[in-house]
Amino acid sequence: MDYKSSLIQDGNPMENLEKQLICPICLEMFTKPVVILPCQHNLCRKCANDIFQQAANPYWTGRVGSAAMSGGRFRCPSCRHEVIMDRHGVYGLQRNLLVENIIDIYKQECSSRPLQKGSHPMCKEHEDEKINIYCLTCEVPTCSMCKVFGAHKACEVAPLQSVFQGQKTELSNCISMLVAGNDRVQTIITQLEDSCRVTKENSHQVKEELSQKFDTLYAILDEKKSELLQRITREQEEKLGFLEALIQQYREQLDKSTKLVETAIQSLDEPGGAIFLLVSSPGRGIVEASKGCQLGKIEQGFENMDYFTLDLEHVADTLRTIDFGT
């Protein structure tokens, strides 16, 4: 805590010094012993114990109780830095003797200074009367004259200092509860962030597994497709080979028959019977050829390939029923 620079910035060093010596929990001047946190902020040891108890037990609301003598953690109310304690609890935190000495010097200085005029608020109705009581009915501070003769004559009042201390105590307890509540909210946020991370990781994992299973199905379908296409190709090659061989046989037969016809026509041009009969052997071949060819034939529907048709509707129906858990 840089007290020197803070004091220089203000025209009234004593007032600014007092601001620097206010505990953020009880909102009062530090009560010795003063402990310094690892983040360099200061707390009354009693307030540090209260905030630790509140962080450890959200239902604990008291300002008194056994000191925290076991390890734990809480957050600094000024900067939210997490303070981790050992088994000594708040008694393991280092005392800030410099701040304690400054408090002693400040109190001595204040006690030796006369009360300045205007340092205490005065009543607007009775200008010479200090505001020294609190009207519980109207919930406003006032003076004794207002209670005796003025607007608050019929109201219920209480000493100003007691109401002041009570409300400061209540506010301090609320601050402790809010700080502890913030710790719980931070814990929940951390848990939710962890849940987000785990959800993303799990989603990525199941997506990878699903993709691998479908890739396996694709591979099986591709393999079966290749197998069936090869069977069709083999059948096609066998039939085409048979047809091409048969075509070749018929072509050879056609060539042979054409030559016989040419020979026979030449025989018809012979004028003499003796010569015709001597060369009539081709004619006998034509007669035999004209009786019909004994070459192979194909059956009706030989070129049909319908027996390779697949009915995959039931397989498609099964694939459409694929779902998680089935």
Side-chain angles (χ1 to χ4, degrees), residues 61-80:
T61 59
R63 294 277 300 170
V64 296
S66 60
M69 292 299 293
S70 60
R73 61 186 66 194
F74 66 91
R75 292 186 182 274
C76 171
S78 298
C79 67
R80 308 298 300 150

Side-chain angles (χ1 to χ4, degrees), residues 123-134:
C123 179
K124 293 182 180 180
E125 299 296 331
H126 307 92
E127 297 181 356
D128 294 332
E129 293 293 328
K130 296 180 180 179
I131 294 178
N132 56 2
I133 60 175
Y134 186 83

Side-chain angles (χ1 to χ4, degrees), residues 150-277:
H152 302 282
K153 182 166 52 176
C155 298
E156 182 182 358
V157 298
L160 185 67
Q161 191 65 22
S162 63
V163 176
F164 166 69
Q165 292 296 336
Q167 291 190 3
K168 289 189 70 174
T169 300
E170 181 181 0
L171 180 59
S172 178
N173 290 336
C174 291
I175 292 174
S176 298
M177 293 180 65
L178 284 175
V179 170
N182 291 340
D183 289 340
R184 291 195 298 273
V185 171
Q186 182 62 47
T187 300
I188 293 174
I189 291 174
T190 301
Q191 293 174 348
L192 292 176
E193 290 175 345
D194 290 340
S195 296
C196 288
R197 176 183 54 78
V198 174
T199 299
K200 291 180 180 178
E201 292 176 354
N202 291 339
S203 298
H204 178 73
Q205 179 180 351
V206 296
K207 284 181 180 178
E208 289 291 328
E209 294 176 354
L210 182 64
S211 298
Q212 291 176 1
K213 291 180 179 180
F214 271 87
D215 289 342
T216 302
L217 287 178
Y218 299 151
I220 293 174
L221 290 174
D222 285 339
E223 182 180 358
K224 179 56 68 174
K225 175 183 176 182
S226 299
E227 177 188 341
L228 296 180
L229 288 176
Q230 289 177 2
R231 287 173 58 184
I232 295 175
T233 301
R234 285 197 298 269
E235 183 71 10
Q236 172 188 335
E237 291 174 350
E238 290 177 2
K239 286 190 174 185
L240 292 178
F242 177 76
L243 290 172
E244 290 172 354
L246 194 58
I247 290 172
Q248 182 63 31
Q249 292 177 12
Y250 274 95
R251 283 177 176 171
E252 292 175 355
Q253 178 63 31
L254 180 61
D255 291 340
K256 183 178 179 181
S257 177
T258 301
K259 291 178 180 179
L260 287 175
V261 170
E262 292 175 353
T263 304
I265 291 173
Q266 292 176 359
S267 298
L268 290 176
D269 293 337
E270 292 295 333
I275 297 176
F276 175 80
L277 292 175

Side-chain angles (χ1 to χ4, degrees), residues 1 3 7 13-14 16-24 26-36 41-47 95-113:
M1 183 182 297
Y3 295 100
L7 295 176
M14 294 301 292
N16 194 61
L17 177 60
E18 182 179 1
K19 295 178 182 178
Q20 301 296 324
L21 298 176
I22 297 299
C23 173
C26 62
L27 302 180
E28 297 179 358
M29 186 172 295
F30 289 117
T31 301
K32 296 191 293 184
V34 180
V35 294
I36 183 169
H41 289 112
N42 298 286
L43 294 175
C44 309
R45 180 188 287 169
K46 182 179 180 181
C47 294
R95 290 181 61 175
N96 194 335
L97 299 179
L98 174 60
V99 172
E100 293 181 3
N101 292 335
I102 292 175
I103 291 172
D104 293 337
I105 295 173
Y106 174 82
K107 289 181 178 180
Q108 292 175 3
E109 179 67 20
C110 289
S111 62
S112 62
R113 292 169 59 126

